[in-house]
Amino acid sequence: MTKFGVGQPVRRVEDQRLITGKGHYADDANMPGQAYAFMVRSPRAHAVISNVDTSDARAAEGVIAVYTGEDIAAAGLGNLDSPAAAMFKQKDGSPIGTTPRPLIARERVRYAGDTVAMIVAETLNQARDAADLLLIDYDDLPVIADTATALDPDAPVIWPENGSNQCYEWSLGEEEKVTEAFASAHQVTRLSLVNNRIVVNAIEPRAALGYFDAEKDHYTLHAASQGVHGMRGIIAGGLLKIPVEKLRVITEDVGGGFGMKTFTYGEYPLVLFASRELGRPVKWTGDRSDSFISDTQGRDHVTDAAIALDKDGKILGIDVRTIANLGAYQSQFGPFIPSLAPRGMHVGVYKVPALYNLVRTVFTNTVPVDAYRGAGRPEASYVIERLMEKAAHEFGVGPDELRRRNFIPAEEMPYKQAPSLPFDSGDFARNLEDAIKGADYAGFEKRRSEAASKGKLRGIGFSYYVERTAAGMSDYARIVVDGKDGMIHVWTGQQTNGQGHETVWTQLVSERFGVDAEKIKIHLGDSDVLPNSAGTGGSKAVYMAPGAISDASEKLIEQGREIAANELDAKKDDVEYRGDVGEPVFAVRGTDRKVDLFVVASLAQGQANLGELAGDGEYKQPANTFPNGAHLCEVEIDTETGVCKIVKYTVVDDFGRIINPMIVAGQVHGGIVQGLGQAMGEHAVYDKETGQLMTGSFMDYWMPRADDFPMFDISYNEIPSTSNALGAKGAGEAGTVGAPAAYMNAVIDALRPYGVDALDMPVTPLKLWEIISAPKKAAE
């Protein structure tokens, strides 16, 4: 039996269940009599659908139904339109380009992977086999799959009604002021960067089970998500066109989301529609190939950036101009990610008098792009931290020194001078100094010399990241104490995707109620339990759920005091709850008269006017938090093979008050690896002529492995946030934000003897070998 509270490095309570096969994921949901759906995907990246012949497929063994885009349109289902599109206008005030996206493509396909039919059969294999009998005639159209050239005058336009491939042009800041700053600058450093596209590759592919109860006129969907209420609203209101109370969405365990599982995909309303039409449950389970061509992808920016310094190395202005690829359609938050999500983040943690950021988003014949761990903030951090490293080298000072000269000082917190970010707290210089000591930066040149004597190249790179976590929304919680089973049951609006939420929420409840962890049960997503939820994303769970849990706890305790007062024959004002001192009882203040929490719950259950001892909580986070920290990456490159090894990786983070250091360490480790994965080898490559995804399986798409990394040296400076009662700052995406620039700066530092001062991700052994071998080949 265990009591534990905030601040303790408690092992995850959910792991025993998960590693012994007792987890319950989307594909584990089954119902009697269910049929199986298979989604037929377009093999063409851009084509007119001239004919669809379903007769042979419908006649195949076991096939129950075949649905095409025409069938879905005739049934009156809505399109998968982006709610984020309404947030934008073009820079000149005109409407942005729109992309009506039917659940099943009609008339035209716009990327290889567009759904062109759904086949429902008695078994999955029967549905899959029938797909080979479906005859679809395609008339090929020209393809554009390259971000940088999507706006060229001769580029094929994939949405002719928009006039070009541009979705919108958006800007932030004062261009004239930045131009003046650059004109007066002592030094201007310029850099062109490609932030390469990546495939999310969550360990659990997406799946969905839909059921329509005709008697109740009610739908139920089991699906992996990052929040059931947002998904329910889109499917009910926008796609099925029914009141939200007629749809229940259930999400249990989720094997990784990283933003991608936030979104509503066509398969989800389609299985609900098919269940309604066929009168039986319908299940769809995607495989890894589906994940590569139907899950949203991440990043894919082409950027020209510049920074202006005065004679003392102080920043005068920053200019960032980006072309961001949205793919073939506007995904759910796709238009938001390259502009509003990172707005103002290109200034990092520095005093910046002037900023100008221009973003042009483009459509291409590729998988749609949307939020991926960090959602726009890693892209912005990558730009400023690559700029700072190059500017320091050109200015002739160390990368640490240039950052010191421009940090916002701790003594000026809170800082509210735009365009710098509105920090409530932070001590950037302290974090950097601690990281420098931890990395033994003073001894680096000696290690570089030792490596050179062995024919190896050493480099060290800095990155000082800052994250802006989500705010301005409400979240909810419900807590019920059950006197019959002796358990406290907890629901929150924050959906676990593997982060350890069950452990952290258990810590909070255990501390407040003074009960053993074994008596606390955390329940996962169910849209029927809570009135709404903010969903998981934007690194906000650490303050959203605790805020709602705290409110629910106090309301439950207030109800319990009234029941206890009646039982103890005392005034309510004289009754206190002693959970905060480890005793789960209601007691009359100053006496030994008391009644157990679970006894009070039983009393509530016995009263018809109450029925249960419960509390419903709500919390709204008014302001962002700003987790930040210093990353130092040290690498060694083998000049014979081009293989680059990370020999040391040091991080000092500020996450405010930390609830569970072990959980945070896991999040940071995982985030660093995802960021480094992009820098070291992950790359979604499309053929420019055909639009085919050339890296469409793990045979071709590189993924990081455990032996690619050393043990990370992670430590914390807990500088509380003032924006929430816990003083916490989100930690879920931080590692991914800081890691890519640190690694790339280290590799460039190692390659300086070869005249390299710029390089794009990913850095493969072949790329490095070609750089190192170039002088030898030239000499020959």
Side-chain angles (χ1 to χ4, degrees):
M1 304 294 283
T2 310
K3 288 188 179 72
F4 51 69
V6 171
Q8 298 180 35
V10 177
R11 289 186 176 275
R12 290 166 37 123
V13 299
E14 56 266 62
D15 283 354
Q16 182 68 23
R17 173 173 61 83
L18 297 176
I19 65 177
T20 56
K22 296 176 183 176
H24 202 266
Y25 296 87
D27 187 50
D28 293 319
N30 293 288
M31 295 183 70
Q34 69 191 22
Y36 294 84
F38 179 77
M39 302 298 160
V40 184
R41 315 284 186 188
S42 169
R44 311 297 177 88
H46 198 197
V48 171
I49 300 174
S50 57
N51 185 57
V52 180
D53 184 347
T54 64
S55 55
D56 289 347
R58 292 180 191 274
E61 181 182 358
V63 171
I64 304 167
V66 178
Y67 298 105
T68 67
E70 296 301 328
D71 298 319
I72 300 305
L77 272 66
N79 290 330
L80 272 174
D81 296 330
S82 167
M87 301 178 182
F88 292 90
K89 288 186 181 296
Q90 299 279 9
K91 188 182 174 186
D92 63 6
S94 61
I96 73 170
T98 58
T99 59
R101 184 182 184 183
L103 299 176
I104 297 178
R106 301 170 58 205
E107 301 175 354
R108 183 180 291 210
V109 293
R110 290 180 170 83
Y111 73 95
D114 234 347
T115 303
V116 291
M118 175 174 65
I119 299 176
V120 183
E122 297 292 344
T123 71
L124 176 58
N125 285 338
Q126 288 172 334
R128 192 186 297 270
D129 290 344
D132 293 333
L133 303 176
L134 189 67
L135 301 177
I136 302 179
D137 294 329
Y138 297 96
D139 295 330
D140 286 330
L141 295 168
V143 167
I144 177 67
D146 179 56
T147 306
T149 59
L151 295 177
D152 287 0
D154 59 348
V157 176
I158 69 173
W159 291 95
E161 55 268 49
N162 292 335
S164 77
N165 289 322
Q166 181 168 292
C167 175
Y168 66 78
E169 184 178 61
W170 173 93
S171 67
L172 176 74
E174 301 175 71
E175 184 176 16
E176 185 176 335
K177 189 174 180 180
V178 169
T179 300
E180 292 172 357
F182 275 66
S184 64
H186 174 75
Q187 174 187 301
V188 173
T189 296
R190 300 186 184 277
L191 190 59
S192 294
L193 297 168
V194 174
N195 202 304
N196 49 312
R197 180 186 285 234
I198 50 179
V199 177
V200 175
N201 276 323
I203 194 170
E204 176 206 19
R206 293 185 297 108
L209 172 65
Y211 171 63
F212 177 68
D213 186 328
E215 185 176 334
K216 296 180 179 178
D217 189 25
H218 186 272
Y219 298 81
T220 300
L221 174 69
H222 294 262
S225 78
Q226 292 181 224
V228 292
H229 290 88
M231 186 172 287
R232 179 185 67 168
I234 291 174
I235 294 174
L239 300 171
L240 298 180
K241 300 180 180 178
I242 58 173
V244 292
E245 58 269 18
K246 289 185 177 290
L247 172 61
R248 180 186 187 188
V249 179
I250 298 171
T251 297
E252 297 184 83
D253 292 307
V254 178
F258 312 115
M260 177 270 292
K261 285 180 182 165
T262 299
F263 314 124
T264 299
Y265 294 85
E267 295 90 353
Y268 306 161
L270 286 173
V271 295
L272 292 167
F273 160 77
S275 177
R276 185 185 73 192
E277 295 297 298
L278 302 175
R280 57 195 291 191
V282 176
K283 181 176 183 178
W284 169 80
T285 300
D287 58 20
R288 187 56 60 184
S289 294
D290 281 304
S291 296
F292 271 90
I293 60 173
S294 70
D295 294 354
T296 57
Q297 296 179 355
R299 315 301 189 226
D300 203 344
H301 291 187
V302 176
T303 296
D304 289 317
I307 187 169
L309 304 178
D310 68 13
K311 62 181 178 58
D312 297 317
K314 297 291 185 70
I315 298 171
L316 295 174
I318 294 172
D319 188 299
V320 180
R321 299 169 190 248
T322 294
I323 300 174
N325 195 342
L326 299 182
Y329 301 92
Q330 294 172 348
S331 181
Q332 189 165 321
F333 295 143
F336 179 84
I337 301 306
S339 50
L340 292 180
R343 62 194 181 281
M345 299 297 293
H346 292 94
V347 299
V349 292
Y350 310 111
K351 282 190 172 184
V352 177
L355 168 70
Y356 183 68
N357 180 205
L358 178 70
V359 178
R360 291 179 293 169
T361 55
V362 297
F363 299 119
T364 62
N365 297 114
T366 59
V367 174
V369 176
D370 212 313
Y372 173 71
R373 197 169 188 170
R377 283 93 76 194
E379 295 92 317
S381 183
Y382 185 67
V383 171
I384 181 62
E385 291 306 300
R386 285 290 306 272
L387 272 176
M388 291 296 286
E389 205 89 349
K390 187 179 181 187
H393 181 71
E394 292 181 356
F395 196 76
V397 298
D400 55 329
E401 177 58 26
L402 188 66
R403 288 175 170 86
R404 283 191 198 94
R405 294 185 188 186
N406 288 282
F407 278 149
I408 298 168
E411 57 269 21
E412 294 187 26
M413 298 293 173
Y415 192 80
K416 307 291 182 185
Q417 296 183 33
S420 293
L421 294 169
F423 294 105
D424 61 325
S425 69
D427 192 339
F428 313 136
R430 174 185 169 191
N431 296 335
L432 180 63
E433 295 307 320
D434 288 352
I436 285 172
K437 290 175 185 175
D440 186 22
Y441 184 52
F444 171 71
E445 289 302 331
K446 180 181 178 182
R447 296 193 296 276
R448 192 203 294 266
S449 298
E450 290 171 351
S453 69
K454 300 173 185 176
K456 305 289 179 70
L457 301 171
R458 279 253 178 165
I460 193 164
F462 287 70
S463 172
Y464 200 105
Y465 80 92
V466 62
E467 236 273 77
R468 177 177 54 212
T469 64
M473 58 193 76
S474 295
D475 214 348
Y476 300 83
R478 178 168 175 77
I479 302 177
V480 177
V481 181
D482 192 328
K484 296 176 182 177
D485 67 9
M487 298 289 290
I488 298 180
H489 297 269
V490 183
W491 292 261
T492 81
Q494 293 297 305
Q495 173 65 44
T496 182
N497 282 198
Q499 303 97 320
H501 286 176
E502 290 175 65
T503 302
V504 178
W505 307 162
T506 298
Q507 285 182 262
L508 294 166
V509 174
S510 177
E511 181 174 87
R512 182 64 187 96
F513 286 94
V515 301
D516 297 328
E518 292 84 353
K519 292 185 176 181
I520 300 167
K521 169 65 177 174
I522 307 299
H523 296 268
L524 304 178
D526 186 339
S527 64
D528 274 6
V529 175
L530 299 175
N532 209 334
S533 66
T536 295
S539 298
K540 63 183 181 294
V542 70
Y543 45 81
M544 297 296 286
I549 287 172
S550 176
D551 188 42
S553 300
E554 298 315 308
K555 289 175 178 175
L556 184 151
I557 289 169
E558 187 69 9
Q559 181 191 17
R561 288 175 61 223
E562 189 165 341
I563 298 170
N566 185 63
E567 179 70 10
L568 295 169
D569 194 22
K571 294 180 180 179
K572 179 182 174 183
D573 290 346
D574 293 333
V575 175
E576 63 184 4
Y577 185 70
R578 294 179 176 172
D580 56 351
V581 293
E583 191 178 7
V585 298
F586 292 91
V588 178
R589 193 175 291 106
T591 76
D592 60 358
R593 293 159 55 204
K594 58 190 177 183
V595 58
D596 183 81
L597 171 66
F598 294 100
V599 171
V600 171
S602 295
L603 292 170
Q605 289 168 315
Q607 296 180 27
N609 64 322
L610 292 176
E612 61 184 1
L613 179 60
D616 292 293
E618 179 179 357
Y619 176 77
K620 183 171 184 177
Q621 173 70 13
N624 309 104
T625 73
F626 294 93
N628 63 89
H631 287 225
L632 269 72
C633 177
E634 187 171 333
V635 301
E636 185 173 88
I637 302 171
D638 188 321
T639 57
E640 295 296 320
T641 63
V643 172
C644 180
K645 291 182 69 73
I646 301 172
V647 294
K648 189 172 179 60
Y649 201 101
T650 308
V651 184
V652 177
D653 285 308
D654 167 18
F655 296 130
R657 186 186 182 202
I658 292 175
I659 299 175
N660 185 325
M662 191 177 295
I663 295 284
V664 169
Q667 288 295 291
V668 175
H669 277 252
I672 291 171
V673 168
Q674 274 189 280
L676 292 176
Q678 180 185 10
M680 296 168 69
E682 291 192 56
H683 196 187
V685 179
Y686 288 85
D687 184 281
K688 293 184 180 181
E689 299 298 322
T690 65
Q692 296 296 316
L693 179 61
M694 306 300 289
T695 52
S697 77
F698 288 141
M699 293 291 289
D700 302 297
Y701 188 92
W702 183 89
M703 287 287 283
R705 290 167 171 79
D707 62 358
D708 291 319
F709 308 100
M711 189 63 182
F712 302 135
D713 179 3
I714 298 171
S715 60
Y716 314 106
N717 286 322
E718 297 187 42
I719 303 168
S721 171
T722 62
S723 70
N724 60 82
L726 271 177
K729 303 174 185 178
E733 296 163 302
T736 311
V737 180
Y743 179 80
M744 293 301 296
N745 287 335
V747 172
I748 292 168
D749 184 54
L751 294 174
R752 290 202 193 280
Y754 294 87
V756 174
D757 66 355
L759 197 63
D760 280 322
M761 303 183 287
V763 177
T764 62
L766 176 59
K767 184 182 287 188
L768 292 174
W769 181 83
E770 288 176 340
I771 291 170
I772 295 166
S773 301
K776 296 178 184 177
K777 291 183 178 181
E780 293 171 359

